[in-house]
Amino acid sequence: MSDLINIRLTKDCPSVQAMDEAAKALGMSRNEMMIKAIKMFIGFDATFYKRLEAYSQKVKVPMHIAIQNTIIKRWAQDNAKKVVWEINKDLLLEFSLCSEGIIGPKELYEMIYQMTFAEEAKERIAELEQEVSQGLELKGSDKVFYETYKSKYGYTPDLKQTTQDESMAYWQEELK
């Protein structure tokens, strides 16, 4: 038999009626809903939870709204790309596999951060290079960013290797 847990609802808790209505709308019992909620929270990485809590406070919305709206935003972006390109070409890196299973939260964060930083830095450097080419002087954080990252993310000309026409001699002496 499973362990029995009794909980006492606090004044901050939704009412039993609100819980029952939410469970019914989700197509489950109140008990199933609570168990799923517990499983979800147990599955959260501790750092993720703390960051989620801080993020939801920063944007002044409850955690469930922060999670829900972030995922909805991603789904909308994915679907729009699919409609435009007839397929979403983005790799779902958040579900990458490694030797331990699905990539861990820390590794995922670092990987996505580095990739996004590189993309955004290239875009910002391109904008700053445009300003420099127009004769504008960079100042403050723009100048610091440009000087720090221009060598890594700045414009590099495409050096396409051209081949000689095989039917034509390269040296004049070979024409004879």
Side-chain angles (χ1 to χ4, degrees):
M1 180 176 189
S2 296
D3 293 333
L4 183 62
I5 297 176
N6 289 318
I7 63 168
R8 182 178 307 227
L9 300 180
T10 65
K11 63 179 174 138
D12 298 331
C13 242
S15 69
V16 173
Q17 180 184 356
M19 288 183 218
D20 288 340
E21 288 171 3
K24 183 178 179 183
L26 295 170
M28 62 184 84
S29 70
R30 180 186 340 139
N31 191 53
E32 287 174 296
M33 183 178 70
M34 289 178 174
I35 290 170
K36 286 180 186 265
I38 291 167
K39 284 181 179 179
M40 182 174 61
F41 269 80
I42 287 175
F44 281 165
D45 173 79
T47 301
F48 167 78
Y49 177 78
K50 289 173 188 162
R51 291 185 85 153
L52 172 62
E53 188 174 44
Y55 180 73
S56 68
Q57 289 171 356
K58 179 182 174 186
V59 296
K60 298 178 173 117
V61 298
M63 270 194 260
H64 71 277
I65 297 292
I67 294 169
Q68 178 176 278
N69 288 1
T70 300
I71 293 172
I72 288 171
K73 177 184 175 186
R74 171 62 188 261
W75 287 345
Q77 291 168 332
D78 287 351
N79 286 331
K81 287 177 183 181
K82 185 177 178 183
V83 169
V84 170
W85 297 102
E86 296 180 3
I87 188 168
N88 184 356
K89 300 181 287 183
D90 290 347
L91 297 174
L92 297 177
L93 297 173
E94 59 269 35
F95 305 115
S96 299
L97 294 176
C98 62
S99 58
E100 294 85 37
I102 295 178
I103 189 169
K106 183 177 191 259
E107 295 80 9
L108 175 63
Y109 179 88
E110 289 299 321
M111 179 177 64
I112 299 295
Y113 178 88
Q114 292 300 324
M115 290 172 62
T116 304
F117 182 88
E119 291 169 14
E120 297 298 322
K122 285 178 190 174
E123 186 176 333
R124 184 171 180 195
I125 291 293
E127 288 178 10
L128 294 173
E129 284 177 338
Q130 183 71 27
E131 290 181 24
V132 169
S133 72
Q134 294 172 356
L136 300 173
E137 182 183 350
L138 299 178
K139 295 181 180 180
S141 63
D142 283 342
K143 183 176 182 175
V144 171
F145 188 87
Y146 184 72
E147 294 299 324
T148 304
Y149 296 107
K150 73 179 175 184
S151 62
K152 185 170 183 178
Y153 299 110
Y155 170 74
T156 52
D158 254 354
L159 299 175
K160 293 181 182 174
Q161 183 175 354
T162 58
T163 59
Q164 297 292 328
D165 186 348
E166 293 178 5
S167 65
M168 190 170 168
Y170 185 75
W171 298 103
Q172 285 292 332
E173 293 81 37
E174 292 176 351
L175 290 172
K176 299 177 186 179

